[in-house]
Structures are given as structure tokens and as C-alpha cells.
Amino acid sequence: MAEIIATTESLEQAQHLLNAGVDWLYAGEDEFGLRLPHSFGRDELPALVQLAHQAGKKIMVAVNAIFHNDRIVKVADYLQFLTDLHVDMVSIGDPGAIHVLQTNRFPLPYLYDGADLVTSSRQINFWGRHGAVAAQVAPEVPYGELVPLMQHVDIPVSYLVYGASVIHQSGRPLVDNYFSFVKQHQERSDRQRGLFISAPHKPETHYSIYEDINGTHVFATNDVNLMPALTRVHDLGIQYWKLDGLFVPGQQFAQIAAAFVHARDALAAGTWTADLAADGQHVIADNTPANRATDTGFFDIDPNEVQ
């Protein structure tokens, strides 16, 4: 049966997610992890780990930033901190960070998360041979390519079934640079301001954009929602379903997580029906913020149409 990984923005939301039945909490600190709903500092993270473990659940900490020389030197100390906390797994995408993890022999299992680079079974198996216990498949990989991929992978994989899908990251502060160029006052460019960009002559596009310590992040117009496709996700044997609540606050995200937990359990029990899928869709529609829309992303795209 698939295990469900859910991001979290607070201890309060984490408790709601655990009550909803998620198997893993996913969190981290902006200095080391990418696109997190909240940056859990060293003073906050121990309580989150304790909360997960007291509930008999697990926690994965993001160490998947792209590290330049000035930041890679901080990774070993952070991994020691996570080791002392008895974190269950870390997600890592930078080979330099993996090298730090392994040369220091930190006893931390790692999920390989190279973002949109993880698109083939050969790449996944390469990192499996180099210590990865799982891999995060890029959300750009459609069903037609997931079928052969799942037939040849040697380690478990994780796939995004709900949430924001990043389409571009730059290490440069692109938004601040833009406002400086046009000489407009810019108070902040972080996620809370709700900035977005649109393609020329396409008013329906709504690419959310924000900046943090890792640079500028741009997201697809619609968030991913695979509730209508969960039968195929289940039949593929994907071992981890990831839920990303970056743009969904508090209890709303916990309600969505509960819908996916219910779906996972019904699929495993052989009791999943079209009516239950419709119920799940209603829960998602009721709890997804009004300024966001969802679809199945790349999942249903014909691989032959991708140019």
C-alpha cells in the first residue's frame, strides 16, 4: 500500500495531517530545502519530529537545495543535527550534498530529489546504486512514460499527486531585478504577496512566482490533482504519494490530505468507486484556495506530443 507524504507549515497543521492519516510529514529549512510552506528552524524542528514520532509516523526533511560553495560547507553540520534528531529520511538532489552525507557516514536514508531531472529508470537506478533508498520522479513525467519506468526501477519512487508544480527556478532574484529595472517600489517578493506572471496575450495564465534564499521560483498555472487518475496511480505501484500544500493553508490542506488517505485505503481494499472519486473531487474543490485551479498536470499528456 502506498505511503502518503505531506508538506506542513506549522505544528498545528502537522497535527491535523497526522490525524488525517498521512504516513510522513515533509518539512525543512529554507537554507537547505526548496519551496517549503514554512521554514522550520533548529528551534522548531525538534518539536515537529517529536510530534510525528509520538503518532507512530515518520518525518522527511528537505536538504534538496542547490548548494554553492558558501552553503555546501554548512551541510555537514545540518546533517549531524538531523541525525541527532533521529529524522527518518532526507531528500537530497545536489550530488555535493550526497557526497557530504556519505563521506561523513551519517546514518540518514535519503530520497533522491533532482526535481525535473528525474525522468528515467536508469537515472533512478544509478542513484539507487549510490545509496538512495527512493527517488522523487519529476511531475513532468506522464503516465505513458511512468508505465515503462515503473517496470524497471530498482528502488521505490515518489510522485506528486496533489499540489503546486514548479516549472522554473533561477538562482537570481528575478522579481526584485524587474522592479528595480522599472523603478517601482517593491516591499517584498516572497510567497505571501501572491505575485504571478502571465504569458503575453494569454490572460488565463497565472504563473505564481516568489523569491527566497534559493532564488526565484515559478509555478504552473494549475496545481496538480490526480484524484481522477488514482486508479492508474495505484495500479502503477508507486510507493509514495506526495501532497504539496505550499499554497493551501491550515486545515484546508489537512482536509485534502484526508481525501487522499481515504482514496488510498479504498484502492488497497478494492472498494474504490467512481462515486468515491467524485466525493474526493468535491473535498478538493471545497478546500483548494479560490485563486488556484487544479488539473492532472502532465499525467495525461501523450508523450509523443511533448516537444
Side-chain angles (χ1 to χ4, degrees):
M1 186 166 65
E3 297 185 9
I4 293 180
I5 303 169
T7 62
T8 187
E9 65 178 9
S10 66
L11 285 173
E12 180 181 6
Q13 187 192 59
Q15 185 63 68
H16 291 312
L17 290 167
L18 294 170
N19 293 342
V22 304
D23 304 286
W24 292 77
L25 296 177
Y26 185 95
E29 182 180 346
D30 284 346
E31 177 76 25
F32 303 98
L34 296 177
R35 294 176 286 278
L36 300 165
H38 174 72
S39 181
F40 283 88
R42 297 196 186 199
D43 58 332
E44 297 177 286
L45 193 59
L48 188 67
V49 174
Q50 183 179 25
L51 187 69
H53 288 169
Q54 285 179 340
K57 304 299 178 69
K58 299 177 181 179
I59 185 163
M60 185 184 306
V61 173
V63 194
N64 60 345
I66 301 169
F67 297 103
H68 289 231
N69 289 334
D70 60 328
R71 292 170 64 190
I72 193 72
V73 296
K74 304 176 184 178
V75 170
D77 181 67
Y78 189 62
L79 292 175
Q80 182 62 63
F81 168 68
L82 299 182
T83 297
D84 295 340
L85 283 183
H86 303 289
V87 164
D88 299 285
M89 193 181 298
V90 294
S91 65
I92 298 186
D94 188 320
I98 295 172
H99 179 72
V100 171
L101 174 73
Q102 295 183 330
T103 55
N104 288 275
R105 299 187 178 184
F106 293 113
L108 292 167
Y110 81 90
L111 173 145
Y112 177 67
D113 182 6
D116 56 358
L117 299 177
V118 189
T119 58
S120 74
S121 58
R122 288 190 177 185
Q123 185 187 18
I124 291 169
N125 292 339
F126 171 86
W127 288 106
R129 292 191 297 272
H130 288 79
V133 299
Q136 181 71 40
V137 177
E140 289 87 352
V141 178
Y143 175 76
E145 292 183 356
L146 282 171
V147 172
L149 183 149
M150 290 301 299
Q151 292 172 348
H152 295 98
V153 289
D154 296 332
I155 59 175
V157 303
S158 174
Y159 192 68
L160 182 71
V161 298
Y162 179 85
S165 178
V166 66
I167 58 175
H168 177 74
Q169 178 188 350
S170 171
R172 298 177 178 86
L174 300 181
V175 180
D176 283 349
N177 288 347
Y178 166 77
F179 279 100
S180 296
F181 177 77
V182 298
K183 301 184 184 303
Q184 293 184 13
H185 178 64
Q186 169 68 358
E187 292 183 355
R188 70 179 194 275
S189 52
D190 60 14
R191 181 168 55 90
Q192 281 65 37
R193 187 171 183 190
L195 298 176
F196 68 90
I197 55 177
S198 291
H201 312 300
K202 293 183 178 181
E204 74 279 6
T205 55
H206 186 286
Y207 303 114
S208 295
I209 182 171
Y210 75 88
E211 291 175 8
D212 63 9
I213 189 175
N214 295 294
T216 307
H217 311 270
V218 184
F219 298 84
T221 293
N222 292 339
D223 294 342
V224 170
N225 170 24
L226 295 189
M227 182 65 71
L230 285 184
T231 297
R232 283 180 288 162
V233 174
H234 170 76
D235 291 345
L236 282 169
I238 293 173
Q239 294 91 339
Y240 297 104
W241 297 2
K242 186 174 182 182
L243 309 177
D244 191 327
L246 183 65
F247 292 111
V248 187
Q251 180 70 2
Q252 290 174 262
F253 184 51
Q255 292 290 337
I256 291 171
F260 278 95
V261 170
H262 181 66
R264 185 272 313 272
D265 294 346
L267 282 160
T271 58
W272 184 241
T273 64
D275 287 341
L276 290 177
D279 291 342
Q281 282 288 80
H282 286 308
V283 172
I284 291 169
D286 289 344
N287 288 282
T288 296
N291 65 334
R292 308 203 66 80
T294 66
D295 59 26
T296 57
F298 287 88
F299 190 79
D300 286 318
I301 290 179
D302 183 345
N304 296 319
E305 296 179 0
V306 180
Q307 302 295 327

